[in-house]
Amino acid sequence: MATWSAPGKLFLFGEHAVVYGKPGIAMAIRPRVYVTVRKSSHAHHARSLYIEQCFKEMGVRGSVYINSQIPSSSGLGSSGAVTVATLAAINEEFNIGKTIHEIANLAFKIEKKVQKGRASPTDTSVSTYGGMFLILNGERKRLAPQNYQFVIGNSQISHSTSRMVERVAQFKEGDPSICNPIIDAIGGLSYQALQHIHDPIRLGELMDINHALLEALGVGHPALSRLVLACRQTGAYGAKITGAGGGGCMVALAPKNLKGRVAGAIEVFDGRAIITSLDCEGLRREEEG
Amino acid sequence: MATWSAPGKLFLFGEHAVVYGKPGIAMAIRPRVYVTVRKSSHAHHARSLYIEQCFKEMGVRGSVYINSQIPSSSGLGSSGAVTVATLAAINEEFNIGKTIHEIANLAFKIEKKVQKGRASPTDTSVSTYGGMFLILNGERKRLAPQNYQFVIGNSQISHSTSRMVERVAQFKEGDPSICNPIIDAIGGLSYQALQHIHDPIRLGELMDINHALLEALGVGHPALSRLVLACRQTGAYGAKITGAGGGGCMVALAPKNLKGRVAGAIEVFDGRAIITSLDCEGLRREEEG
């Protein structure tokens, strides 16, 4: 029996724009996903496509137990975290001997297959390596870790990442004179954020601008707008949609002493609040308890 | 005794961007301002700077009575409308013989003097000529009139046009890589709006995008965001800040049968609603009653 865990991921800047070669900033966050794998020749109960693919790619059969604290389909990288943790647990349990990099690459391959080409390598690499990254053209550059307090608001509005990516693609094709400069502005934002990564007030302002630009891209949702407004009103430095939008989550950067208030504001407006921070650890072997 | 009236003005697209050579769409709207001027050699009661300047520029003295249905300092062109109507009433009462064009130019000169260079000719020309215009580099091109229903929401949050214009100027200077593409996107929007001026659904979508881009420029206000969200939720085709932002008004384009609901939504969120439409008449001589 082997148990591995991996963190969720959060887009701080640049979601959607990264699809078009602009920079973005993403990071690993608590909560984590825990996956336990056990050798077994008769694992026949229904499992997700991701899990099936993990066993298939590793060429073994076994049973799996998942304890995920990341809400699924919320833009927090739940499927990427499950995939890398499952591969790592299979790797140990069956003594396959893959490196961490091979696991990251294989996880991305599986995500791409299951999501029919729409996946980005961001989710799986952030969950594998932990920490904070600049994302540019599919490459990642590690950034110095920041001790910030984030409050995530899950609107609990279901959304489809691929549908949102498609919506932006259609906007770009139909109205390039409007859409292209919006994407350029988001790119400019990520570079500014890099230069002010130690300044929460400035980062908050940039998050607010990024939020408005995501709304301009057409991936907003009234429930997310209300959560964002409520977070700003209770003293967050800034707040924005995180992930694909159209539902799912928003994130606020909050002063440490106000994280409770910001979380309260989210709950008042029917969101589920998660207080979180950067997780510098990526894939981690868990001791058997 | 002479009484003249002039309409207010509404920016439908492109406020702030017009300052930087991008196109905008503005129109004359009800409510109107009514100004009565009477010959009098002893007019000594306190009057606004605009009125003082009107008499000074026309070289006469008289008394004036103003009946304005346009809320002042709300971005609806109240000062421009008062100025052109006052000049026209003085012109008649004192038989000065200026043409309507001369009055428009003089009104702009007065606005520029009182507002210390910050005025644009849009307000005074829209109030003088009535109708709908494409504004580009200070020039205006008349557009075919549209029979649309607009609902204005006055947030009653006081704001300063010059401070908002200054804020955008600072943003542009400090973060050109973010601000310039936002202004470009707004320019693209106005051109798109021109091409779809007969399609309220498309115009509404473009208004929503323009609103998000104004928020990205930093001229939003939580009270305006709430009014805009409320209007969309009650079935408006689209809604946006109108004018300088940071307070003042928003405008929704509404299906005719829903204008009451949209107005109700505005009032629920502490705004003052004005149901209005295009006013094709500019300066108008009123019969004495």
Side-chain angles (χ1 to χ4, degrees):
Chain A
M1 187 171 95
T3 300
W4 284 68
S5 72
K9 79 102 221 294
L10 188 77
F11 251 104
L12 204 50
F13 292 98
E15 48 271 89
H16 286 293
V18 295
V19 176
Y20 301 101
K22 302 296 172 186
I25 297 177
M27 59 190 237
I29 51 156
R30 297 168 189 80
R32 300 177 74 87
V33 156
Y34 296 80
V35 179
T36 301
V37 165
R38 201 188 295 264
K39 279 180 189 149
S40 150
S41 55
H42 46 83
H44 292 302
H45 48 289
R47 298 189 300 200
S48 81
L49 274 173
Y50 293 98
I51 303 296
E52 290 298 343
Q53 284 296 323
C54 287
F55 280 98
K56 197 174 158 193
E57 290 287 342
M58 299 293 261
V60 294
R61 301 189 67 181
S63 70
V64 64
Y65 172 73
I66 296 167
N67 176 8
S68 173
Q69 298 169 35
I70 310 173
S72 64
S73 300
S74 60
L76 300 179
S78 140
S79 78
V82 166
T83 306
V84 297
T86 303
L87 288 174
I90 295 172
N91 193 48
E92 181 193 345
E93 177 72 356
F94 293 89
N95 262 305
I96 297 176
K98 285 201 187 293
T99 66
I100 223 83
H101 298 297
E102 287 170 334
I103 286 175
N105 291 338
L106 190 53
F108 174 48
K109 185 180 157 192
I110 290 169
E111 288 249 296
K112 218 161 49 174
K113 191 181 272 180
V114 176
Q115 294 176 29
K116 301 188 175 63
R118 279 280 178 221
S120 92
T122 303
D123 286 25
T124 43
S125 35
V126 166
S127 286
T128 303
Y129 301 110
M132 199 180 218
F133 297 96
L134 174 73
I135 310 288
L136 184 55
N137 290 320
E139 303 285 306
R140 57 182 192 284
K141 182 177 169 292
R142 186 175 286 278
L143 303 176
Q146 302 297 322
N147 183 22
Y148 287 139
Q149 200 74 63
F150 294 99
V151 186
I152 293 169
N154 185 350
S155 69
Q156 303 182 82
I157 308 282
S158 75
H159 69 151
S160 151
T161 296
S162 61
R163 205 172 308 142
M164 290 300 120
V165 170
E166 186 53 39
R167 178 178 294 182
V168 175
Q170 283 174 3
F171 183 24
K172 192 168 157 43
E173 193 171 316
D175 293 314
S177 68
I178 307 173
C179 188
N180 288 342
I182 296 173
I183 291 170
D184 290 344
I186 296 176
L189 264 175
S190 293
Y191 283 122
Q192 275 294 308
L194 266 187
Q195 288 174 36
H196 297 272
I197 201 86
H198 304 292
D199 177 356
I201 295 173
R202 181 73 178 131
L203 282 188
E205 289 170 1
L206 294 170
M207 287 170 75
D208 287 346
I209 301 172
N210 198 158
H211 177 73
L213 292 172
L214 286 166
E215 292 203 321
L217 275 185
V219 301
H221 187 285
L224 291 169
S225 306
R226 278 190 288 269
L227 295 181
V228 162
L229 281 171
C231 289
R232 290 177 191 158
Q233 208 149 5
T234 39
Y237 293 121
K240 64 182 274 292
I241 291 165
T242 186
C249 292
M250 49 67 61
V251 59
L253 175 57
K256 289 209 170 21
N257 61 329
L258 294 181
K259 63 190 179 191
R261 286 190 200 195
V262 172
I266 287 169
E267 306 255 326
V268 160
F269 284 91
D270 303 320
R272 287 275 177 86
I274 305 171
I275 295 176
T276 187
S277 54
L278 176 65
D279 195 339
C280 290
E281 272 192 286
L283 264 176
R284 183 173 72 196
R285 183 172 183 279
E286 302 290 334
E287 294 303 317
E288 313 203 356
Chain B
M1 188 170 93
T3 299
W4 284 69
S5 71
K9 79 104 220 300
L10 188 77
F11 252 102
L12 204 50
F13 292 100
E15 49 272 88
H16 286 292
V18 294
V19 175
Y20 300 100
K22 302 295 172 188
I25 297 177
M27 58 189 239
I29 50 155
R30 297 169 189 81
R32 298 176 75 86
V33 157
Y34 296 81
V35 179
T36 302
V37 165
R38 200 189 293 265
K39 279 180 191 150
S40 149
S41 55
H42 47 83
H44 292 302
H45 47 290
R47 298 188 299 200
S48 81
L49 274 172
Y50 294 99
I51 303 296
E52 289 299 342
Q53 284 295 324
C54 288
F55 279 98
K56 197 174 158 192
E57 289 287 341
M58 298 294 259
V60 294
R61 302 187 68 182
S63 70
V64 63
Y65 172 73
I66 296 168
N67 177 7
S68 172
Q69 297 168 36
I70 309 173
S72 64
S73 300
S74 60
L76 300 179
S78 139
S79 77
V82 166
T83 305
V84 298
T86 303
L87 288 174
I90 295 172
N91 193 49
E92 182 192 343
E93 177 72 355
F94 292 88
N95 262 306
I96 298 177
K98 286 200 185 295
T99 66
I100 224 82
H101 298 297
E102 288 169 330
I103 285 174
N105 292 338
L106 191 52
F108 174 47
K109 185 180 156 192
I110 290 169
E111 289 249 297
K112 220 163 46 175
K113 192 180 272 179
V114 177
Q115 294 176 29
K116 301 188 176 63
R118 280 278 177 223
S120 92
T122 304
D123 286 25
T124 43
S125 38
V126 166
S127 286
T128 302
Y129 301 111
M132 200 181 217
F133 297 96
L134 175 72
I135 310 289
L136 184 55
N137 290 320
E139 303 285 305
R140 57 181 194 285
K141 184 177 168 292
R142 187 176 283 279
L143 303 175
Q146 302 297 321
N147 183 23
Y148 287 139
Q149 200 74 63
F150 294 99
V151 186
I152 293 169
N154 184 351
S155 69
Q156 303 182 81
I157 307 282
S158 75
H159 70 151
S160 151
T161 296
S162 61
R163 205 173 308 143
M164 290 299 120
V165 170
E166 186 53 38
R167 180 178 293 183
V168 175
Q170 282 173 5
F171 184 25
K172 192 166 157 44
E173 193 172 316
D175 293 314
S177 68
I178 307 172
C179 188
N180 289 341
I182 296 173
I183 291 170
D184 290 345
I186 296 176
L189 264 174
S190 293
Y191 283 122
Q192 275 294 309
L194 267 186
Q195 288 174 36
H196 298 273
I197 201 86
H198 304 291
D199 177 356
I201 293 173
R202 181 72 177 131
L203 282 188
E205 289 170 1
L206 294 171
M207 287 170 73
D208 287 347
I209 301 172
N210 198 158
H211 176 74
L213 292 172
L214 286 167
E215 291 203 321
L217 275 185
V219 301
H221 187 284
L224 291 169
S225 305
R226 279 190 287 268
L227 295 180
V228 162
L229 281 171
C231 289
R232 290 178 191 158
Q233 207 148 6
T234 40
Y237 292 121
K240 65 181 274 290
I241 290 166
T242 186
C249 291
M250 49 68 60
V251 60
L253 175 58
K256 290 213 169 16
N257 61 328
L258 294 181
K259 63 189 178 193
R261 285 190 200 197
V262 172
I266 287 169
E267 306 254 326
V268 159
F269 284 92
D270 304 320
R272 286 275 177 84
I274 304 171
I275 295 176
T276 186
S277 54
L278 178 63
D279 194 339
C280 290
E281 273 191 285
L283 264 176
R284 183 174 74 198
R285 183 173 184 278
E286 302 289 334
E287 294 303 318
E288 312 203 358

